[in-house]
Every structure is written in C-alpha cells, then in structure tokens.
Amino acid sequence: MPLDLTPKILDQLLDSLVENGWFEWPNAITDELSQSLLTEVEKYDLEGELQRAGIGRGKTRQIHQGVRQDSIYWLNGKSSAQQTYLKQMAEMQYQLNYALFLGLLEYESHFALYRAGGFYKKHRDSFRGNANRVVTTVLYLNPNWQNDWGGELVIYNEESTKKLAIITPEMGKLVVFMSEQIPHEVLPTKHPRVSVTGWFRCNASIAGNIDPAL
Ligand code: OGA
Ligand code: MN
C-alpha cells in the first residue's frame, strides 16, 4: 500500500511547504490503514500502555499539564500497520530530500490520544538549542469527526501573529509543516482525539532522548 504521492500532489506538497511552511492533505492514508492504526492505539489505551506526554527532552523533560494534555505511545515498527505507515513516511522523506535537499535522516513518531478536555497550547516542535526536528507530520485517526467537537489544529504564521488555518482532525488526513517555523496549537477537544505525530530529523537519536554528545 504505497503512499499516493502522485506528481500533482507531490507538487502541491512541495510548493506549499516552500511557500507557506505547511500543507493539509485530506485522505492521504487509506481508511483501512488508518483503522488498523486506530485499533492498535485503542488496544494500548485499554492495556494502560499509553504514557503522559511531557515537554522538552532528556533532563529538561517535564510533565506540564497546563501546556499539553495528551497520552502517547512511541511507534516501534512492531505491527504490520506501523510498518506500512513507516514505509510511507520513508517515501515522503525520500521525496522531500530529493526535491528540497533537507538532509532528513530519520523519522520518529508517536501515537497521541487527547481525551475529552485535552489540548496542546501554542508551541513550535523544535526544541531550543536542539533544533533537529525539521518537518512535522500529523496523521489523524478519527472517523466521523463532528465539527462541534473542537480539537482543531490551528496553524499560525511564522511571527505567530495570525491564524493561517484551522484544521479538523479527520480520519486519514495528513498535515505536514516545517517544525521550527510554524507555531501551532490543538484546541480543547470535546471527544477523544487520536493521531500519529511524527518528525523527520536531520540527525539520529533514540526516540524521546537527547542526542548523545559527540
Ligand atoms: C504535537 C502537535 C498536533 C495535533 O504533538 O506536537 O502539535 O494536531 N500535535 O495533534
Ligand atoms: Mn506540535
């Protein structure tokens, strides 16, 4: 099940990333794969395998409920759904490197569950002094999302003065944006909201850990 990166969509993705810093791609991932990923994260939730997400990395990592209220599970490539998804992201990585010379070396990603009331205040995805996350992806896994449930992703301009887009977290939609450039937030959700958030990085490290000093 390859990623449906037709020349037309690829052009739109590249143009939009370069010109605007972000791209919204509805139905990027098939319902079948999205559903398998959703079933997997629901299982982890029932088994108590999700962990509270924190802010920052390594020693500076702290749980900060006023900023971020989601529970996560790092992808480890152990299920066939994950493998298919990771292959598709590898294809995207290749295309981004080929066209934009981004030097992306690896992809790290986690499932995220926002329970009712969950949110993530405005932030950028690359950490101060450790700006190795270059491109962010968010895949949404919410069938039949209703417009009055909240939980939208709000994208801001680089100066953080203007809202550029308010994006509903619909099943199979993939949002791609430049990690350092684009401030964004998740509005409070009234309904459980599931996604896979990932980052293409320009150096290698183990998910969730600071890069080892060279
Ligand atoms: C994040 C994030 C956005 C979303 O996990 O860093 O900003 O829409 N997620 O889930
Ligand atoms: Mn983010």
Side-chain angles (χ1 to χ4, degrees):
M1 215 190 291
L3 193 63
D4 195 18
L5 263 178
T6 60
K8 186 168 161 240
I9 292 180
L10 182 59
D11 265 7
Q12 287 174 2
L13 167 68
L14 297 171
D15 284 355
S16 191
L17 274 185
V18 170
E19 277 168 35
N20 312 317
W22 63 280
F23 182 62
E24 178 183 0
W25 182 4
N27 301 309
I29 303 295
T30 63
D31 279 356
E32 192 192 344
L33 178 54
S34 302
Q35 185 57 55
S36 303
L37 292 166
L38 176 60
T39 303
E40 188 173 333
V41 69
E42 285 172 344
K43 178 172 139 274
Y44 296 143
D45 184 29
L46 286 174
E47 291 169 350
E49 291 290 323
L50 303 185
Q51 57 181 106
R52 286 302 304 265
I55 309 285
R57 299 185 153 231
K59 288 194 186 124
T60 62
R61 187 173 178 281
Q62 42 185 215
I63 306 289
H64 207 320
Q65 296 195 21
V67 177
R68 174 173 190 185
Q69 288 193 339
D70 58 332
S71 299
I72 65 169
Y73 184 97
W74 288 96
L75 271 72
N76 51 23
K78 283 190 180 155
S79 71
S80 73
Q82 284 189 36
Q83 285 161 19
T84 305
Y85 179 68
L86 292 171
K87 252 189 234 155
Q88 299 189 353
M89 290 305 104
E91 197 180 324
M92 177 170 297
Q93 177 178 323
Y94 174 84
Q95 298 290 352
L96 292 174
N97 281 338
Y98 186 77
L100 303 179
F101 306 102
L102 288 178
L104 308 173
L105 280 181
E106 67 157 32
Y107 182 70
E108 62 177 0
S109 54
H110 62 56
F111 292 105
L113 166 66
Y114 293 75
R115 300 179 203 282
F119 58 82
Y120 194 159
K121 293 211 167 140
K122 197 203 280 184
H123 65 281
R124 295 173 208 247
D125 281 349
S126 61
F127 296 97
R128 233 184 316 165
N130 188 18
N132 50 32
R133 289 175 165 178
V134 181
V135 176
T136 302
T137 63
V138 192
L139 166 67
Y140 297 110
L141 301 177
N142 307 294
N144 307 312
W145 189 262
Q146 303 295 304
N147 281 334
D148 60 356
W149 283 352
E152 296 96 342
L153 170 69
V154 183
I155 301 255
Y156 291 84
N157 62 339
E158 196 165 355
E159 297 73 31
S160 202
T161 51
K162 226 170 55 185
K163 287 181 186 176
L164 298 183
I166 299 178
I167 296 173
T168 49
E170 282 145 2
M171 187 85 155
K173 181 186 285 179
L174 188 71
V175 176
V176 186
F177 57 86
M178 303 307 292
S179 308
E180 284 180 68
Q181 189 182 325
I182 298 290
H184 56 281
E185 74 179 311
V186 178
L187 298 178
T189 184
K190 295 183 182 152
H191 195 269
R193 174 195 192 271
V194 180
S195 57
V196 181
T197 307
W199 298 272
F200 294 110
R201 304 161 52 104
C202 61
N203 59 3
S205 88
I206 301 157
N209 292 318
I210 202 159
D211 298 300
L214 292 173

